[in-house]
Amino acid sequence: SEGVTVAELAEALDVSANDIIKRLFLLGTPLTMTQSMSNDLVELVADDMGRKVRIVTAEEENSFSFYDDPKDLKPRPPVVTVMGHVDHGKTSLLDAIRHTNVWSGEAGGITQHIGASEVMINGRKITFVDTPGHEAFTAMRARGAKITDVVVLVVAADDGVMPQTIEAINHSKAAGVPIIVAVNKCDKEEANPDKVRQMLTEYGIIPEEWGGQNMFVNVSAKKNIGIDELLETILLQADVLELKANPDTFASGNIIEAKLDRGRGPVATLLVTRGTLHVGDTIVAGQSYGSVRAMLDQHGEHKDEARPSDAVEILGLNSVPAAGDEFRVFEDARDARDLAEQRALKARIEEQNKVKHVTLETLFEEM
Ligand code: GDP
Ligand code: MG
């Protein structure tokens, strides 16, 4: 059988394997260290020791093991992250893309900040993730998640390659994400877009027109120049990538950002990477769970569903998940709660163990 072995259970419960072997013997089921136990037997032994355990299925444990039949895959929009050195114009560019004024104050604007935004160009959608680039990539690396398909690297034409430009290039390369360079501030007199191209060749970022792999677009976020061309270039890059996902299954994806809202409780912006999320679905996100009570887009409009590459704000979680956490829909609300609570407990144990060494027993006594 493929159940938990005696040694594994001992490890999980932080007790000696001999203790378990002894109890098994007394229960009339003698087993050795390396033999597997049925789920029922695991629960029985744990119960015998005054513990409650729940067997997590392989699917629950290994969240990234989803498999889709290629015939179920449908094209999906690209998810884009804007990166670049401070003051090179990331916020201004996103702002120009959304035709709003986010950085100069949100008052009066129709766009609320939800951590991501969707824009339409030529009848096609592009999702922009606002998370500061390096944070998005740290989360991606830590969880093996892929929350961006394309990086737009903003480089100011009057300043050129700077430390955070190089950092962004390294992150993108490590994650295998293609880079489109937006050479910004081209409206400035001292702008030198060709010098930017020249400088970037040193880091392996070479324009297509020079025989390289990278698309470049000269823009001015301030004067709204080249923005449509940049969006069209992103779509070209997306076509090359042939981005696909299965929309006809339970949703999963990642938390982009989350916070506790005084009036509305935990609020999370999530990106759907697979399946379709519906209002009323039960989800687990990291250590949080809940039923999706409401779903809102970046304009605060209610939505009924979110499909692959859609970013939406949701209400209904019991706590605030962490940015980068994976989420997925559960058919059974009890399973969702169990998994989230188990994770929260595990995290609590790890946290306590950092402070002082405690066994599960002492923790349970405290609870
Ligand atoms: P971030 O730190 O990368 O988000 O950069 P910001 O978007 O905050 O821009 C930094 C400064 O550069 C601001 O004062 C902007 O007004 C200015 N800026 C951004 N884009 C342009 C541009 O295309 N042309 C000019 N002249 N200034 C720009
Ligand atoms: Mg900014």
Side-chain angles (χ1 to χ4, degrees), residues 34 36 51 62 84 96 112 125 127 141 163 186 211 224 226 238 261 275 287 305-306 344 347 352 355 358 362:
T34 53
S36 300
R51 303 287 193 74
N62 183 4
Q112 71 181 59
K125 195 191 293 191
T127 301
R141 276 201 188 158
C186 285
N224 230 334
D261 184 286
Q287 298 168 31
E305 59 170 45
Q352 298 231 357
V355 185
V358 290
T362 58

Side-chain angles (χ1 to χ4, degrees), residues 85-92 184-185 187-188 220-222:
H85 196 72
V86 65
D87 282 346
H88 278 200
K90 298 177 293 295
T91 304
S92 304
N184 192 32
K185 307 198 185 185
D187 60 288
K188 283 190 150 185
S220 164
K222 197 172 188 171

Side-chain angles (χ1 to χ4, degrees), residues 136-154:
F137 276 86
T138 308
M140 271 172 71
R141 276 201 188 158
R143 324 213 179 218
K146 178 125 189 177
I147 49 176
T148 197
D149 300 306
V150 174
V151 162
V152 168
L153 179 65
V154 181

Side-chain angles (χ1 to χ4, degrees), residues 7 14 36 47-49 65 67 142 148 181 195 207 213 229 232 238 252 261 271 284 290 299 304 338 357:
D14 194 22
S36 300
D47 200 48
D48 194 33
M49 302 174 95
S65 62
Y67 171 78
T148 197
V181 182
K195 191 175 165 219
Q213 300 281 323
E229 194 192 337
E232 281 157 14
S252 57
D261 184 286
L271 175 76
V284 170
H299 307 297
D304 297 328
D338 285 352
H357 183 76

Side-chain angles (χ1 to χ4, degrees), residues 82-297:
V82 175
M83 297 178 85
H85 196 72
V86 65
D87 282 346
H88 278 200
K90 298 177 293 295
T91 304
S92 304
L93 186 63
L94 275 169
D95 184 33
I97 286 167
R98 284 189 299 239
H99 303 287
T100 61
N101 256 323
V102 177
W103 64 265
S104 65
E106 308 218 290
I110 48 156
T111 299
Q112 71 181 59
H113 179 77
I114 71 161
S117 47
E118 296 172 353
V119 297
M120 296 292 289
I121 176 94
N122 304 338
R124 291 172 67 185
K125 195 191 293 191
I126 303 173
T127 301
F128 285 88
V129 174
D130 296 349
T131 322
H134 63 277
E135 279 176 30
F137 276 86
T138 308
M140 271 172 71
R141 276 201 188 158
R143 324 213 179 218
K146 178 125 189 177
I147 49 176
T148 197
D149 300 306
V150 174
V151 162
V152 168
L153 179 65
V154 181
V155 187
D158 60 340
D159 204 22
V161 173
M162 297 298 280
Q164 285 167 286
T165 314
I166 299 163
E167 204 177 292
I169 292 168
N170 292 338
H171 275 307
S172 309
K173 281 187 173 173
V177 178
I179 296 170
I180 293 172
V181 182
V183 184
N184 192 32
K185 307 198 185 185
C186 285
D187 60 288
K188 283 190 150 185
E189 219 165 291
E190 58 273 40
N192 191 345
D194 270 347
K195 191 175 165 219
V196 170
R197 283 169 174 72
Q198 191 61 56
M199 285 176 91
L200 281 169
T201 61
E202 279 180 48
Y203 302 92
I205 307 296
I206 300 155
E208 278 191 334
E209 62 264 32
W210 294 2
Q213 300 281 323
N214 298 91
M215 297 191 231
F216 278 66
V217 185
N218 290 347
V219 301
S220 164
K222 197 172 188 171
K223 297 269 163 76
N224 230 334
I225 300 164
I227 306 300
D228 282 353
E229 194 192 337
L230 175 63
L231 296 176
E232 281 157 14
T233 303
I234 292 168
L235 290 178
L236 276 177
Q237 182 71 67
D239 289 340
V240 173
L241 297 171
E242 293 187 73
L243 304 167
K244 288 184 176 132
N246 177 8
D248 302 312
T249 185
F250 294 115
S252 57
N254 293 87
I255 301 296
I256 292 172
E257 61 177 50
K259 60 173 192 267
L260 188 62
D261 184 286
R262 267 173 175 252
R264 302 183 297 165
V267 177
T269 297
L270 51 79
L271 175 76
V272 177
T273 56
R274 178 179 182 263
T276 299
L277 183 67
H278 304 92
V279 169
D281 281 351
T282 296
I283 68 168
V284 170
Q287 298 168 31
S288 309
Y289 71 94
S291 155
V292 178
R293 202 168 71 226
M295 205 186 278
L296 305 153
D297 67 14

